[in-house]
Amino acid sequence: MRGSGVQGPGNRARVAQPPTLDAMRKSMGIAVVGVFALVLGGCSSGPTDTEQAAQQFAEALTQRNAQAAADLTSDPAAAAAAITQMFDGLDPQDVRFTVATTDSDAGTFTLAADWTLGEPETAPAPAPAPPEKWTYTTTGGGAGVADGGAIPWDPQLLAPGLTADSTLRYTTLSGGSPTVLDAAGRPLMAEQTVTLVNVDTVQTPDPAVTAAALAPLLATVAPTLTAASVQADLAAAQGKTATVITLRDADLEPIAGALAAVPGVTLVKQTRLLTVDKADTSPALDGLRQLWQEGQDAAAGWAVQLVRANGSADMVAGVEGTRAPDIASTLDPAVQSAAQDALAALPQQAAIVAIRPSTGAVLAVAQNAPATAQGPIALTGLYPPGSTFKTVTTSAALQQGSVTPDTVLPCPGSANIEGRTIPNDDNFDLGAVPLHTAFARSCNTTMGQLAVAMGPNALHDAALQFGLGVDYVTPGLTTVTGSVPAADTPAQRVEAAIGQGQVTASPFGMAMVAASIAKGSAPAPMLVLGQPGTANLTPAAAPVQVTDELRTMMRETVTAGTATQLVDLPDLRGKTGTAEVDSGPAHGWFVGIDGDVAFAVFVAGADSSAPAVDAAGRFLRPIQAQLPR
């Protein structure tokens, strides 16, 4: 049995022998190596507590994990609040904190912060703005960190100068507000103070009482606002704050005290770009506002501000803004006002667009209230142009060389052309007349017969020569001119020849047709001086003789044709149009040229061209002496 001390058979007692000198040396050598290895192992251990703490803190900040960063500090509650506010106040695109240096013995470290601030670029630009960068370093830590303790909390760990009773915020800096000018260089739009009349529906005990108190106060500014409409606005807010109206300073001043006394009402100041004359209105103003804002954004500076408890602030980083240049528009206040007044009394949707043919300058874009409720129909609404399209049809026929203005053609009251019965208005019958007479009197039957012999692309190509169907990219102006598809069959060409079928045009598009006839080629439309639009294609202009002949025929339309109610306007040339629609009364049109002004008038559902012609007279007569010649 082992360990009994008794020698059994076959066992031999082992006697311990003293170690040899070599064995002693080998044993000592192994022991020394082992001790040396332990020493080396201690020197090559992982990161120090200081390095680990600094790295974890920097990573948590980079990940915007406020609580994780705060938990590494001696005061997690205060740190979490400060870190959260920093990220909320600066709202960065990107942020990176890195460990720059550490002192393991002292337990201190230095962080490098790299912020990318401001709104990110959302659209490509020829020269994108450089990112708004803020970089700095901070120091922190202490002896306890070297021993694995928490990082002593100090707001200046986050940013230089930050204290327990201050906060950080990012803001943009305007270098001054530019002005939008009219064609004469006078202020058309400027940044102004407005006041929002807000109602806190939660703090309004009786919405009906509040609405009844507000309506009479606001009636002088907004006659259509009633107690019922205000109450409906409050109900629609569903417990949130409702903005009942926005007032200019001049409108607010007489009633400010009474408004503030209404329960639940608060008055909130803002700045907005407004027309100098509040009566001015136009779809073109929306594009000018956008250009103004783009200019403001491009010229704006930025700042990181250290905000104290009392509201005072110091700029700790950033760039001062510069003043954006004024915007010189081509809008003529007299022409715009006359166009607006000419449409005001019409109950139907109505629009006028006026262009200076020599330069392409847009002088006026006007709509009445029913039209505005449908959007910017003057610029983008598409409708059949009716007989105003006969300017294009006649141009195409003259370019083919088969007719001249004096060619005698039949103008029966109605005609069956390619299986479609084409009537004249009220079936008037002129018999055989020269083309110029058929044009002035607007003979559908003559135009339909002319189109039968045309090629499939004849009307399409002639329309492009006058800008109709061309897409323009114009600074400040979003437009659609219209569409004139190729007409592959004679029946399609008959429909198209009288501005029906698949042919569509906007009031802007027909104003471009009139301007092209006046100039002899399609002008590049322009709303901002020096910034003409660019076309997606540039077809050759119609022959000079053709446009000369068209202008003569358009004058005959006024002196002896369908627009004789305007014969008192000595230089006016024009073309009337009535366009059938699928249901409801026909649309009315008039396109005209008066000196260096070309224009189109559109009245939806007018059932004839007369309301459009009358509106053209109301538009031109007050300003004819001022029109450029």
Side-chain angles (χ1 to χ4, degrees):
M1 174 179 272
R2 289 183 180 179
S4 64
V6 179
Q7 296 184 18
N11 290 328
R12 181 179 298 174
R14 294 179 178 176
V15 178
Q17 299 293 325
T20 66
L21 181 60
D22 286 343
M24 291 176 65
R25 285 175 177 171
K26 289 180 180 178
S27 176
M28 291 177 65
I30 291 171
V32 170
V33 170
V35 171
F36 187 62
L38 287 173
V39 172
L40 287 178
C43 292
S44 63
S45 63
T48 65
D49 290 333
T50 302
E51 291 170 335
Q52 286 183 338
Q55 187 63 39
Q56 290 171 2
F57 189 68
E59 288 177 357
L61 291 177
T62 297
Q63 295 166 6
R64 308 187 202 190
N65 190 333
Q67 193 60 57
D71 287 343
L72 296 169
T73 72
S74 60
D75 191 345
I83 296 169
T84 299
Q85 186 286 318
M86 176 180 69
F87 286 127
D88 289 346
L90 297 178
D91 191 19
Q93 292 184 46
D94 189 34
V95 60
R96 296 182 186 278
F97 281 81
T98 56
V99 180
T101 64
T102 59
D103 185 332
S104 298
D105 293 335
T108 59
F109 55 85
T110 302
L111 299 181
D114 186 351
W115 296 81
T116 302
L117 303 171
E119 292 293 327
E121 296 277 344
T122 57
E132 295 163 0
K133 304 289 286 186
W134 183 31
T135 59
Y136 56 84
T137 60
T138 63
T139 58
V145 179
D147 298 328
I151 298 171
W153 170 240
D154 183 348
Q156 293 200 74
L157 268 172
L158 304 180
L162 189 62
T163 63
D165 60 353
S166 64
T167 57
L168 292 169
R169 72 181 175 200
Y170 167 86
T171 187
T172 56
L173 302 175
S174 173
S177 177
T179 301
V180 179
L181 307 173
D182 64 24
R186 294 167 299 203
L188 174 66
M189 304 174 75
E191 193 171 36
Q192 302 176 44
T193 302
V194 297
T195 299
L196 278 59
V197 179
N198 289 343
V199 177
D200 185 344
T201 56
V202 174
Q203 300 298 322
T204 305
D206 190 336
V209 172
T210 297
L214 285 176
L217 292 173
L218 300 173
T220 56
V221 181
T224 59
L225 190 147
T226 64
S229 67
V230 172
Q231 191 168 350
D233 290 342
L234 301 185
Q238 296 181 339
K240 298 180 181 179
T241 298
T243 298
V244 176
I245 194 171
T246 302
L247 298 175
R248 296 180 183 232
D249 286 348
D251 294 327
L252 172 69
E253 186 177 358
I255 56 175
L259 287 174
V262 177
V265 170
T266 57
L267 304 179
V268 180
K269 296 285 186 181
Q270 285 186 355
T271 57
R272 291 186 183 177
L273 181 68
L274 301 176
T275 55
V276 174
D277 183 346
K278 73 174 184 177
D280 290 341
T281 178
S282 170
L285 298 179
D286 292 337
L288 291 172
R289 286 189 181 94
Q290 182 177 345
L291 287 179
W292 180 88
Q293 188 59 56
E294 290 172 359
Q296 285 285 79
D297 293 344
W302 63 276
V304 174
Q305 295 176 330
L306 189 67
V307 185
R308 302 181 187 86
N310 62 6
S312 63
D314 289 330
M315 179 174 167
V316 297
V319 177
E320 294 289 347
T322 58
R323 188 180 187 278
D326 291 339
I327 298 172
S329 82
T330 60
L331 293 176
D332 186 310
V335 180
Q336 177 69 38
S337 179
Q340 203 68 43
D341 291 345
L343 303 175
L346 288 170
Q348 308 98 328
Q349 301 171 36
I352 293 177
V353 177
I355 297 172
R356 180 167 292 161
S358 61
T359 64
V362 176
L363 302 177
V365 181
Q367 296 184 171
N368 63 359
T372 298
Q374 301 301 313
I377 70 164
L379 299 172
T380 60
L382 293 176
Y383 311 92
S387 292
T388 59
F389 190 74
K390 291 173 184 173
T391 52
V392 174
T393 304
T394 302
S395 176
L398 292 172
Q399 290 184 63
Q400 282 194 329
S402 58
V403 294
T404 71
D406 295 323
T407 300
V408 176
L409 301 167
C411 176
S414 66
N416 187 303
I417 307 174
E418 297 298 321
R420 193 225 195 265
T421 299
I422 303 295
N424 289 331
D425 190 26
D426 291 331
N427 290 96
F428 71 82
D429 188 337
L430 299 183
V433 294
L435 174 58
H436 64 81
T437 301
F439 178 93
R441 298 287 296 276
S442 203
C443 287
N444 292 335
T445 53
T446 304
M447 296 295 164
Q449 192 60 55
L450 282 174
V452 171
M454 293 181 185
N457 291 310
L459 294 174
H460 169 80
D461 294 346
L464 291 179
Q465 292 174 329
F466 295 158
L468 190 59
V470 177
D471 289 330
Y472 294 96
V473 177
T474 307
L477 207 60
T478 300
T479 60
V480 179
T481 58
S483 176
V484 184
D488 295 326
T489 68
Q492 289 175 338
R493 293 194 286 277
V494 170
E495 292 277 358
I498 57 174
Q500 299 282 174
Q502 295 183 329
V503 175
T504 59
S506 67
F508 171 80
M510 290 312 299
M512 282 294 296
V513 169
S516 301
I517 295 170
K519 183 179 181 181
S521 62
M526 177 172 59
L527 183 64
V528 178
L529 287 174
Q531 298 184 34
T534 56
N536 66 327
L537 48 88
T538 52
V544 173
Q545 181 178 343
V546 169
T547 49
D548 286 345
E549 290 167 346
L550 277 176
R551 288 192 291 269
T552 299
M553 285 187 269
M554 291 173 73
R555 178 59 186 160
E556 184 179 345
T557 301
V558 175
T559 59
T562 53
T564 53
Q565 58 264 56
L566 302 178
V567 71
D568 60 301
L569 300 170
D571 197 34
L572 179 63
R573 291 156 172 76
K575 183 68 191 78
T576 58
T578 303
E580 295 178 0
V581 290
D582 292 337
S583 60
H587 299 324
W589 288 87
F590 183 77
V591 299
I593 304 166
D594 196 347
D596 198 18
V597 175
F599 62 94
V601 183
F602 170 76
V603 182
D607 207 25
S608 79
S609 63
V613 175
D614 290 340
R618 293 193 299 272
F619 164 54
L620 292 174
R621 289 188 181 99
I623 59 170
Q624 196 179 40
Q626 306 172 45
L627 295 180
R629 301 293 169 184

